[in-house]
Amino acid sequence: MARTKTQYVCQACGHVEIKWMGRCPGCGEWNTMVEETIAAPSKSLPVSGARMQPQPIQSIPAQTEQRIHTGLTECDFVLGGGVVPGSLVLIGGDPGIGKSTLLLQLSNSIASQKKRVLYVSGEESASQIKLRAERLGTVQEELYVLAETDLDLVVEAAAQLQPDFLIIDSIQTVFRPSLTSAPGSVAQVRECTGVLLRVAKSQNIATFIVGHVTKDGALAGPRMLEHMVDAVLYFEGERHHMYRVLRAVKNRFGSTNELAVFEMHDNGLREVSNPSLLFLSERQTIVPGSAVVAAMEGRRPLLLEVQALVAPTGFGTPRRMATGADYARVSMLLAVLERRLGLQVQASDAYVNVAGGVRVDEPAVDLGIALALVSSHRDRPLTQGDIYMGEVGLTGEVRNVTRLAERLREAQKLGFKRCLIPAGQTVSETFSGLEIVPVQSLQDAMQKAF
């Protein structure tokens, strides 16, 4: 009897070894090597249809795809105008963040447009999905539910039903019986995604697949999974906050780095048409350590409150913590403040928080973070009605930012009185009611801000 050949595959990156290893040589993760049976190679290549011939690009007719509107304007904005038929979209997020709720709302809205939707769940029964759908709103007739984990049966059901929209919740729970590895393994996730990609393209079905994330926040499974799909969306937010953020990090049919904000309620997710107003609604104006910055998320300006707290440390080494901001940039700004402005923070703990659970990592918020740290250290509030835009360099200079006009327009719309911008940047437009104050360095900004 022939001995079954096995191999060890890393469940984090897909690296393959012939023997077990405690640490993966590919990604450095510990205890991720799992034994899997080597599948016998197929003797013949699958026939995918008529053979295509090379043709000049000028002779290829241009086609405009009729996008499917999801019923949520913010979600259409992130996807680039709607869902493209035949596209494969991967959505990831932490457990319990609301991925299934979002997709069930999208399914219900698309089914109300007389388009057929097939919702496949490998984690819930059909009755559980029915209860959740009734809680979220009306149940549409064109919404079909299938509680199944065998991908071959799912593909067979999709071929019989011919839906316009297909949802797989989640890719880690479905499996192919022809593979001996367990559901959720690298081999199963890779193979199932490949099958769904062929189904989406051949039958022109818009397909959404839900992917779990690791403890580091990345999508579980091999990185090749992100390269196979047409769009990758992340559903983010704090579980104890009502705000949820849908972010696109890859999109073949639209702009990347777009963002949509939702509010979680008992009856589902609600769109937030003006996120800046929502994030600033609970702000206390005259308190030390609070500053308002303008961040760009794709094409959308967001006005956010940055909070800083500088307090004497009780330990030998001071603590530095950043929530919603880049930790490395916060540490750099503290070093610049100490070296260029003489701010004595080497014996103080420093905490920086972006209110609302939003994460920003662009350098245009440097000036606001630095002034919030100075305000907290001196226990003096910044001038009421000010907003700050600028990147801070290692020499203490304030550098230019991108898309300044959009940021200023958003600040004017929300009623801010004064804006500190880099001195090397010119503003061609006039903003009534908004005073533009150019600053050259942190020292200059600190004098004008207080």
Side-chain angles (χ1 to χ4, degrees):
M1 183 176 179
R3 185 171 178 267
T4 304
K5 294 184 178 181
T6 61
Q7 62 186 4
Y8 291 87
V9 182
C10 175
Q11 302 303 297
C13 68
H15 184 79
V16 179
E17 289 288 339
I18 60 174
K19 62 179 181 179
W20 183 85
M21 303 182 73
R23 185 178 185 182
C24 172
C27 62
E29 294 290 334
W30 290 90
N31 298 324
T32 56
M33 305 296 289
V34 175
E35 185 178 12
E36 296 182 1
T37 304
I38 301 177
S42 178
K43 297 182 179 179
S44 59
L45 294 175
V47 180
S48 58
R51 179 176 298 178
M52 303 298 295
Q53 297 295 332
Q55 52 184 324
I57 191 171
Q58 294 181 346
S59 64
I60 300 176
Q63 295 182 353
T64 57
E65 294 288 351
Q66 185 67 31
R67 294 176 181 256
I68 303 173
H69 293 289
T70 61
L72 296 176
T73 307
E74 294 295 309
C75 189
D76 288 342
F77 175 74
V78 172
L79 291 170
V83 182
V84 177
S87 62
L88 183 63
V89 180
L90 174 64
I91 178 169
D94 294 329
I97 204 67
K99 301 184 298 296
S100 300
T101 301
L102 175 64
L103 290 177
L104 194 57
Q105 282 188 241
L106 295 184
S107 303
N108 197 42
S109 177
I110 293 174
S112 65
Q113 306 173 28
K114 303 303 179 182
K115 294 184 180 296
R116 191 167 294 176
V117 180
L118 176 59
Y119 189 102
V120 179
S121 177
E123 302 176 348
E124 296 178 286
S125 64
S127 58
Q128 288 177 311
I129 299 174
K130 173 69 178 301
L131 289 174
R132 185 152 50 89
E134 291 178 340
R135 177 173 56 86
L136 296 177
T138 58
V139 179
Q140 300 296 327
E141 184 180 355
E142 292 296 325
L143 176 57
Y144 293 80
V145 176
L146 175 64
E148 182 58 66
T149 56
D150 190 335
L151 187 64
D152 293 341
L153 298 179
V154 171
V155 172
E156 182 181 346
Q160 295 176 356
L161 190 62
Q162 290 296 313
D164 301 294
F165 198 71
L166 173 64
I167 293 176
I168 305 296
D169 186 11
S170 64
I171 191 64
Q172 274 80 15
T173 58
V174 296
F175 69 96
R176 294 204 70 190
S178 57
L179 296 180
T180 56
S181 53
S185 63
V186 170
Q188 285 283 3
V189 169
R190 184 169 50 221
E191 177 66 19
C192 292
T193 305
V195 172
L196 291 172
L197 178 63
R198 292 192 293 270
V199 169
K201 301 302 180 184
S202 61
Q203 302 181 26
N204 202 35
I205 301 175
T207 305
F208 272 64
I209 57 177
V210 176
H212 295 168
V213 296
T214 63
K215 60 182 179 180
D216 297 327
L219 284 165
R223 293 304 301 268
M224 189 184 72
L225 186 66
E226 299 183 27
H227 299 295
M228 295 171 65
V229 300
D230 296 314
V232 178
L233 308 180
Y234 277 90
F235 202 47
E236 306 169 351
E238 297 290 338
R239 293 188 61 181
H240 304 293
H241 285 76
M242 64 172 57
Y243 307 133
R244 301 290 186 268
V245 175
L246 182 65
R247 189 189 307 269
V249 296
K250 175 188 177 181
N251 193 355
R252 289 174 179 163
F253 308 108
S255 176
T256 56
N257 296 322
E258 297 294 357
L259 176 142
V261 181
F262 298 91
E263 247 183 316
M264 177 65 80
H265 292 272
D266 294 338
N267 56 351
L269 294 163
R270 296 180 186 174
E271 300 176 85
V272 177
S273 57
N274 193 342
S276 299
L277 184 62
L278 179 67
F279 290 136
L280 298 178
S281 60
E282 300 180 9
R283 176 175 176 258
Q284 299 180 12
T285 54
I286 310 179
V287 289
S290 174
V292 179
V293 298
M296 292 297 299
E297 288 291 346
R299 295 167 293 175
R300 167 177 290 173
L302 280 182
L303 304 190
L304 303 169
E305 180 190 4
V306 174
Q307 298 174 341
L309 178 62
V310 180
T313 182
F315 304 94
T317 303
R319 300 186 66 183
R320 305 283 189 258
M321 295 189 65
T323 303
D326 188 2
Y327 174 81
R329 294 201 71 85
V330 171
S331 300
M332 181 202 75
L333 290 173
L334 286 168
V336 171
L337 289 172
E338 184 168 353
R339 182 67 174 175
R340 304 301 175 189
L341 298 183
L343 202 70
Q344 300 299 320
V345 293
Q346 69 272 14
S348 300
D349 295 333
Y351 304 89
V352 173
N353 175 49
V354 180
V358 181
R359 178 168 183 82
V360 290
D361 53 6
E362 67 163 340
V365 301
D366 287 353
L367 183 59
I369 295 176
L371 291 176
L373 289 167
V374 175
S375 172
S376 177
H377 183 265
R378 293 187 170 187
D379 200 24
R380 288 180 56 191
L382 295 167
T383 304
Q384 185 177 358
D386 282 7
I387 187 170
Y388 312 98
M389 310 172 192
E391 177 186 355
V392 176
L394 290 179
T395 60
E397 81 279 10
V398 179
R399 306 174 69 91
N400 295 349
V401 299
T402 60
R403 310 185 73 165
L404 180 62
E406 286 90 336
R407 303 174 197 258
L408 293 173
R409 204 173 293 118
E410 186 74 8
Q412 180 194 30
K413 185 170 65 175
L414 291 186
F416 283 88
K417 304 300 181 184
R418 195 173 65 153
C419 179
L420 273 64
I421 69 169
Q425 211 155 2
T426 58
V427 181
S428 57
E429 301 180 40
T430 58
F431 300 90
S432 60
L434 181 64
E435 180 186 357
I436 307 298
V437 180
V439 293
Q440 293 183 345
S441 62
L442 267 180
Q443 182 74 33
D444 186 18
M446 191 174 65
Q447 293 176 355
K448 295 176 180 178
F450 289 98

